[in-house]
Amino acid sequence: MKTTIFHRSIMFAAAAFAMTACNSDGDKFDYDKNLAYMSGTEVDPIRKFVVEDTPASENVSVSLVNPLDHDITVKVAIDPSKVDEYNRANQTSYFPIPAGAARLVNEQAVIPAGKSFSEALQVQMTSTENFEEGRTYLIPVTIVDAGGVAILDAQRTAFLKVARVLHFNALDISNPSMYSNFIFPDDKMVDMSGGFTYELKVWGLNYDQNGNGNPTRLCSFTSKNEANSSMLRFSENGKPARTLQWVCPGGNIVSTSTFDTERWYLLTFTFDGSNLIMYIDGNKDAEGSYSGTDPVQFQRIELGMSWGGGYPSSQRFSGRICEMRVWNRPLSPGEIKLGMCGIDAKSSGLVAYWKMNEGDGHVFHDATGNGYDMDWANTSRDTNENGNLEATPNAKNAISWTSDDNNKCAE
């Protein structure tokens, strides 16, 4: 049944293609014209090519809508210009594979008589040495000749997304003694009223304080005085357990998804001036309308629940974070999905980027070079819940780093 549905879908595509071109007579359409295309592109032109070490190989093939009664030879090539075409059409920002990093072991293959797909065409990744951190690379394998058969242009190219398995350090925020605030100088304040994106990755051992009714506070992206804060917490009273609440400028959004323990999630929060959207692993999860009137500013990061009165311990989040990012524009869904493991530190609109992967010390470095380093010895806490912040230099002593098999990501 699956094969039948597949061939019907290709036949419809073939008919649409044929209607755009006349036959040799110039006034008739050839609805029975056969077509060649890269196998698998009828579902998605992009597929993962997992690379743990080099050299690594992946096979592709060319398919026909209908088998022929004779052998034909097809030829493919790696064409970096196809990545730019894909980016323009899909509002993405993939990068073509660096020169010399991949090659075709065989450029030609035979589609035997009576068969609808070719012998394997092998793509080999030879090196990742020139890869830049945070970039997602595609190997575009495109048909250049199909042995006299017309090529379905919309499915001419298959894109192999190089998925390196990356191991990283992450910040453990399970110790409430490190919960505090870092406030940037006034000249680092950013007006986000026109739009923003806040992101981070999270891995939790516990999202609901063992069911005792207390929420677990993750972090906040906020203005200098906490007005219009984007605060994140799990399992708030009255909300379903293991759901994420975003208390944000002019809105209050709760995730529809619940969170599983001991797995990494990418959390993304966007504002376009009127709409608030929460994404989980690049998928839209919840949204709401903005109802605030005050300017939205960013100048401060809070980790955990830093108020006094026992809150740091009672709302302790047991888990890890990394990849914390601040953008001065809302990201598109396509851009968000590119950032599952990391991003290019020179990305457009990226204000600050803390990878949280130092592995030691108490300074979280801003990878953008924009001057948003955070020295946790220079933090402060509202110890008495009166709005007055007190210096907490000892918070640096509670910082803990993790590096184990849980901290890995396949791009």
Side-chain angles (χ1 to χ4, degrees):
M1 179 64 71
K2 183 176 181 181
T3 302
T4 302
I5 293 173
F6 160 71
H7 280 294
R8 284 176 180 170
S9 68
I10 294 299
M11 288 295 289
F12 287 136
F17 177 88
M19 289 179 68
T20 66
C22 293
N23 67 4
S24 59
D25 296 329
D27 58 354
K28 297 179 181 178
F29 295 112
D30 182 1
Y31 293 101
D32 296 321
K33 192 173 185 179
N34 204 355
L35 293 168
Y37 59 96
M38 290 300 297
S39 306
T41 54
E42 72 282 0
V43 177
D44 191 339
I46 295 179
R47 77 179 203 232
K48 278 189 176 183
F49 177 5
V50 178
V51 177
E52 293 201 50
D53 200 1
T54 55
S57 297
E58 181 78 2
N59 291 336
V60 297
S61 64
V62 176
S63 289
L64 296 175
V65 172
N66 296 305
L68 297 173
D69 61 3
H70 59 278
D71 293 356
I72 64 168
T73 299
V74 295
K75 184 178 181 180
V76 299
I78 294 176
D79 184 353
S81 69
K82 296 297 183 180
V83 178
D84 290 335
E85 291 179 15
Y86 185 90
N87 285 337
R88 287 194 296 271
N90 296 277
Q91 296 183 311
T92 52
S93 54
Y94 292 107
F95 288 83
I97 200 76
R103 71 183 187 96
L104 286 165
V105 175
N106 53 319
E107 298 178 344
Q108 299 185 77
V110 172
I111 301 180
K115 298 287 187 180
S116 59
F117 56 90
S118 74
E119 300 164 333
L121 292 147
Q122 189 178 78
V123 182
Q124 186 179 79
M125 174 64 63
T126 57
S127 173
T128 58
E129 183 177 348
N130 294 324
F131 281 26
E132 293 190 29
E133 189 173 357
R135 292 186 173 185
T136 303
Y137 292 97
L138 297 181
I139 306 173
V141 184
T142 192
I143 305 171
V144 295
D145 185 82
V149 177
I151 301 167
L152 180 58
D153 197 56
Q155 294 170 214
R156 174 188 291 266
T157 306
F159 297 92
L160 302 183
K161 184 172 73 170
V162 180
R164 293 175 293 168
V165 178
L166 305 177
H167 295 264
F168 55 88
N169 296 312
L171 180 66
D172 189 327
I173 63 169
S174 302
N175 187 343
S177 295
M178 64 89 62
Y179 294 171
S180 198
N181 299 266
F182 189 92
I183 300 175
F184 299 96
D186 290 345
D187 64 355
K188 293 297 182 184
M189 186 275 289
V190 183
D191 187 342
M192 299 291 201
S193 301
F196 64 72
T197 299
Y198 296 134
E199 292 188 291
L200 77 158
K201 292 186 68 173
V202 60
W203 182 96
L205 279 172
N206 186 3
Y207 289 105
D208 59 4
Q209 286 284 36
N210 297 318
N212 64 7
N214 285 332
T216 61
R217 179 81 161 260
L218 184 61
C219 68
S220 296
F221 301 84
T222 181
S223 60
K224 184 176 183 178
N225 63 358
E226 281 194 302
N228 284 322
S229 171
S230 279
M231 182 267 287
L232 308 175
R233 61 187 175 192
F234 294 94
S235 305
E236 169 65 356
N237 287 337
K239 307 294 188 297
R242 296 184 292 115
T243 58
L244 173 62
Q245 182 188 32
W246 176 21
V247 180
C248 49
N252 187 329
I253 298 175
V254 178
S255 68
T256 57
S257 299
T258 56
F259 286 75
D260 294 325
T261 59
E262 300 187 61
R263 61 152 290 186
W264 282 99
Y265 292 92
L266 174 65
L267 308 180
T268 307
F269 311 89
T270 68
F271 170 59
D272 64 4
S274 58
N275 299 301
L276 301 152
I277 304 178
M278 178 192 301
Y279 296 85
I280 299 176
D281 287 339
N283 301 307
K284 183 188 291 187
D285 186 84
E287 60 185 318
S289 298
Y290 175 76
S291 59
T293 57
D294 294 333
V296 181
Q297 299 174 341
F298 167 75
Q299 196 179 346
R300 174 175 171 177
I301 289 286
E302 178 189 31
L303 295 181
M305 168 50 125
S306 66
W307 297 0
Y311 284 116
S313 295
S314 66
Q315 297 193 13
R316 177 178 71 94
F317 175 80
S318 180
R320 310 170 181 183
I321 64 170
C322 66
E323 292 292 322
M324 183 175 277
R325 311 156 190 166
V326 174
W327 309 73
N328 62 12
R329 63 182 180 88
L331 296 183
S332 69
E335 290 177 306
I336 294 168
K337 284 186 177 292
L338 285 177
M340 296 299 295
C341 291
I343 59 171
D344 186 345
K346 301 303 180 184
S347 298
S348 173
L350 185 61
V351 173
Y353 177 21
W354 306 278
K355 294 188 71 66
M356 301 290 191
N357 67 349
E358 284 78 5
D360 59 28
H362 52 82
V363 178
F364 310 132
H365 296 95
D366 172 24
T368 68
N370 293 336
Y372 287 89
D373 290 354
M374 294 189 290
D375 184 344
W376 221 242
N378 297 325
T379 58
S380 53
R381 181 183 294 174
D382 186 355
T383 305
N384 297 313
E385 296 184 74
N386 58 9
N388 296 318
L389 295 175
E390 299 179 6
T392 55
N394 291 332
K396 70 176 184 179
N397 299 326
I399 288 177
S400 178
W401 298 95
T402 65
S403 179
D404 57 28
D405 285 342
N406 292 307
N407 293 351
K408 62 182 178 181
C409 183
E411 291 176 310

